[in-house]
Structures are given as C-alpha cells and as structure tokens.
Amino acid sequence: MKFNSVKFEISILYTAILGLILIAFSGILYLISNAFLHQIDQKLKDRAQAVDFTVRSYLGVLGDDHEAMAEAMAKTLAMKRENFLQRKTWKISQEWFQQSQELNLNNSYINIVSKDEKEVFSSSNMDQRMRLDFLEDIQFPSRSQAVFQTLNVEHKNIRVIDYLFTDRGVGQYLIQIGIAQDPIAQQLRNWLYSIAVSVPLILLLTSFVGRLLANRILKPVHEITTLANKITQQDLSARIKNRNFGTEMQSLVESFNEMIARLERSFQHIEQFSYHTAHELKTPLTIIQGEAELLLRRERTKEEYQQALRIVMEESRRVLKTVDDLLLLTKLGYTQEVFKFEQFDFVEFFHEIIEQNRLLAANKGIGIRVHLNNLNPPLMINGDRLHLRRLFFNIIGNAIKFTSEGGCIDIYIECSHGKVISSISDTGPGIAPENLKKIFEEFYRADKNTPGSGLGLPIAYTIAKLHQGEIHVDSQLGHGTTFKIILPQN
Ligand code: ADP
C-alpha cells in the first residue's frame, strides 16, 4: 500500500477516528474511576485519623509505654462500650463506639503493626490469610503521613491506607485500614485495563477493516483505470458496466462513460471529416492532373491550351476556396481570438450586405425584397462584422444559388425579446425533411453536382453559435426554404 494513496488515507482516517473515540472513552472512564478512588481514599483517611485520635486518647489515660500502647490498640480495635467500672477509659470507649458506628468502621479491616512489623493487632473481621496479605504489602510512608494502595485479597479489591502513627513514648506504628472497593468502581477499573490492553489489537483490526472498506469504495476507480488502459484510438467502444456502485461512484462511472462516448463521436467525426476533406480536394486535383496529362500527350492549339488553363484555374480556385473554408472552420472551432467584437447598428450593416447581394441576384433575374418590421434604428448588436458578413453572405448566397430565374427572395428583420431575427426566404426547390438536419454537417450537399464544397452552412452555424445566436431552417420541398438567424441584441 502506498503512503500517498487514497486507500492509505481512508484506513488511517478510519483508525484515527476510532483511536480518538477509544482515547476519549478511556479518558472518561479514567476520570470516573479516579473520582471513585478519591472518594474512597478520603473515607480511609477520615477513619485512620479517627483511629489515630482514639489511640492517643487511650494513651493519654493509660500511660506512655509499650504496654499502654498495646492496651490502647486493643481497646480501639474492640470498638466496645465499656462499663462504668472502667473509670479511666469508659468515656473514651463510649465516644469511640458512637463514632465507629457513624464511620461504619465495622466494615473496615483494621490492622496495626509496629515499626519492626511484629506486633500485630487486627480487627476481628480479618482472618489469618488477610492479615498476611496486609503485612506482605506493608508500606511505611516516608514523606507523607499516609500512602494508599489496592490489594487483591481473595479476588476482592481492597483499598488500603497505610497511616503512620508516631508517639515519642511508644515509637512508630502503622495503622492499616482497608475497605472493599465499590463493585462499580472495580468494574470501571477492569474496563479501563481491558481497553488499554486491547487498544493495539482494536486499532490493528480497524486499519484492516479500513483497508477493506477503502478497497470496496475504490473498486470502480480500479475498474475505470483498467478500462482506461484498454482504450485506444482504434477501440473506443469499451464502457464500464452499470452496477450498483453507490451514488457518487455511479455518477463518476456515468461521466466517464459519457466522456468515452463523446470521444468516440469526436473520433468518428474527425475520421469522416478527414475522409470528406480528402475526397473534396481529390476531385479538382484529379481534374487538374488529367488536364495536364491530356495537354502533354501531343502538341495542342492555342485555344486548346487556353481552354485547359481555364479549367485548371477554375479547379485551383475550388481547391483554394475549400482550403480557406476548412482553415476558417478549424480556426473558429479552436481559437476565439479570430473574433473582433464591436458594437454596431445591425440595420445599416445588413443593408450593405443586401445591396451587394442584390447585384448578384439581379444578374440571375431574381428580386430581393426587404421588410423591416416595427424597427427603431439603431439596432445595436455586439459582434464581429467580418464573420457575421460571412454568415449572411453564405445564407443569402445559397438562396440566390438555389432560386431559379424569375424567383424572389424575401428578407425580414424584426426585433423581439432582446433578439434580432433575420429571416431569409427563397422560392427555390426546398430541402427534403430527412435532409434538414444534415445541411449543417461539413461537406453535405444534397446534389453533388451543385457548385460549392458544403462548408458554407457549418461555417455560418459556428459563427452564429459563437455570437450566442442560433440558426433555424424551415423548408418545404418544391416551395422554397426559410433560414432564420437569431442574434442577441446588445
Ligand atoms: P456550400 O458552401 O457548398 O453552398 P452549404 O453548406 O452552404 O454548402 O449548403 C449545403 C447544402 O445545403 C447545399 O448543397 C444544399 O443541398 C443545401 N441548401 C443550402 N441552402 C439551401 C437553400 N436555400 N435551398 C435549398 N437547398 C439548400
């Protein structure tokens, strides 16, 4: 697995999130169990101080030697009410009995040990085994007066305080008091230990699960990669099969398939385009070559040479026109810089175009009628004059080309909803409905014998599109054709 891979990131993220949750959970457990411990330690300290105070009280009346100490300890641990006859100590015993009840000392394990760990006085609830356990883990506090520890006695956790008792007369003793830990606190501690022990294992497992998950999520990506490696210019037919990938991946797969489909269409288009280009250039070049070969076969008359040269010139002009159109179409498709946008009055601009075409039409005996519908000049538009001129020349030129002598071309200009709409209607042969879509394809000509290379309308269409405009065509076979050019008004 690579360290900079998405798979690695997902599994690390997954593990990190779980790790953080575990740490937070353990932290809370730790704080709670510490609070429990603190509470229990405080209880132990209160009890140890009470025992310390009682022993001192007894010592105060019994004397200040080891024997008195032994008696004081015995009386303290007994926690009994003495009777009136024991004059010296009965009052202490009364109070101590009362206090030990309040402190619930009967539930505590009390053990008192001398400094040399010999003299042992224990509360009656401690058996031999427990006493040994207490003695085994004895800790004489060095700096503070008390130390705490948890002992495990017969599978029970007992919290113990080792409390130092010092008296100049009797020397040093250790008061050990233990109470069984609350089962809940004990459970919390156990959980804490279990979590601490199992964290590495859990994280290891999580990172493994994270990897599996990442593998599952990234499966379509692997498929796309494998497929992308298979795709070549020769075979663009491969697609990723539609399966249940999950919404996001599904849309990635769909986008990828659509991209391949678009690429396939583009390649097909380029193939056809190249084929048509070659074909379109081949015809005039073949004619030129044929004419030259024919001339060279034998000596020709001056008229024959002139006639042949005229044909060569005509065909060369055709080749040049096709090459020019192709270059323009390519430039329009790839570089927007060929456009020089400016603001100008469309009506004035259009009149110039009509006047120039009127002459061409008149030569063929065709009339041009112009209708300006409710226009308030100036009709400003933002566009490239040269290219728009080309657009209208191509369309009006076609109208003249396809209209027979005596026919008529009607041109309407109107303005509606911020758009300038120019309609050019001719009385020509019209276009068959099945061919209406094809006329905007490169090199399409309904009749291959009509002059032209079939690039005029694709150029016009591209120019209109690059001006955020549209071209629509409406035609009835035998009744003429109407081209509608819609351009946004500025
Ligand atoms: P060209 O540049 O050769 O004129 P176009 O792209 O302008 O080619 O036109 C392509 C074809 O569309 C024409 O050969 C013709 O079949 C059809 N067409 C275009 N305009 C008209 C029209 N006004 N009337 C009938 N057919 C038309």
Side-chain angles (χ1 to χ4, degrees), residues 398 401-402 426 431 439 444-446 452-458 481:
N398 275 347
K401 184 159 64 177
F402 291 102
D426 62 47
I431 304 164
I439 58 168
Y444 172 78
R445 275 178 293 160
S453 55
L455 290 170
L457 284 179
T481 306

Side-chain angles (χ1 to χ4, degrees), residues 293-442:
E293 275 173 6
L294 214 69
L295 280 186
L296 287 172
R297 247 179 234 165
R298 62 181 165 82
E299 198 64 30
R300 305 274 170 182
T301 63
K302 192 179 162 198
E303 285 74 31
E304 281 175 322
Y305 279 124
Q306 278 179 344
Q307 173 63 16
L309 281 174
R310 260 193 296 276
I311 294 172
V312 167
M313 229 170 76
E314 185 54 39
E315 293 307 317
S316 310
R317 200 174 291 140
R318 234 178 99 183
V319 173
L320 269 175
K321 167 93 170 64
T322 307
V323 170
D324 276 348
D325 283 353
L326 278 172
L327 275 176
L328 179 67
L329 205 58
T330 317
K331 266 196 215 162
L332 290 178
Y334 293 103
T335 45
Q336 300 269 318
E337 290 127 48
V338 287
F339 281 86
K340 284 194 188 74
F341 279 86
E342 57 182 320
Q343 304 261 347
F344 58 88
D345 178 14
F346 182 74
V347 178
E348 193 190 311
F349 160 82
F350 203 69
H351 268 304
E352 270 174 39
I353 293 173
I354 289 168
E355 286 322 308
Q356 283 161 6
N357 276 285
R358 207 185 281 283
L359 275 173
L360 295 171
N363 286 343
K364 248 187 108 176
I366 300 165
I368 294 184
R369 291 189 299 227
V370 180
H371 313 264
L372 304 180
N373 289 347
N374 304 325
L375 285 183
N376 288 328
L379 206 66
M380 298 307 282
I381 66 160
N382 186 27
D384 181 307
R385 293 173 80 106
L386 206 75
H387 286 109
L388 285 178
R389 212 178 107 86
R390 180 83 184 243
L391 182 163
F392 287 110
F393 257 85
N394 284 356
I395 289 176
I396 300 173
N398 275 347
I400 298 172
K401 184 159 64 177
F402 291 102
T403 303
S404 319
E405 200 181 333
C408 183
I409 297 170
D410 281 290
I411 297 177
Y412 298 84
I413 304 178
E414 58 182 313
C415 191
S416 157
H417 298 101
K419 313 237 175 206
V420 180
I421 304 160
S422 330
S423 307
I424 296 147
S425 296
D426 62 47
T427 49
I431 304 164
E434 67 272 18
N435 294 336
L436 274 180
K437 268 193 184 156
K438 294 187 197 160
I439 58 168
F440 292 105
E441 289 171 11
E442 293 94 353

Side-chain angles (χ1 to χ4, degrees), residues 242-299:
N242 223 347
R243 257 182 285 120
N244 224 353
F245 284 128
T247 321
E248 293 82 358
M249 283 298 168
Q250 190 73 31
S251 71
L252 175 71
V253 167
E254 275 165 19
S255 300
F256 184 79
N257 279 345
E258 276 163 24
M259 186 190 78
I260 300 293
R262 276 200 302 276
L263 270 180
E264 194 179 18
R265 280 199 297 274
S266 293
F267 270 107
Q268 276 168 358
H269 180 251
I270 290 169
E271 252 174 58
Q272 276 174 9
F273 190 81
S274 313
Y275 171 80
H276 285 303
T277 308
H279 191 75
E280 206 56 42
L281 293 176
K282 195 181 165 198
T283 318
L285 288 174
T286 315
I287 295 173
I288 291 170
Q289 193 191 20
E291 281 299 319
E293 275 173 6
L294 214 69
L295 280 186
L296 287 172
R297 247 179 234 165
R298 62 181 165 82
E299 198 64 30

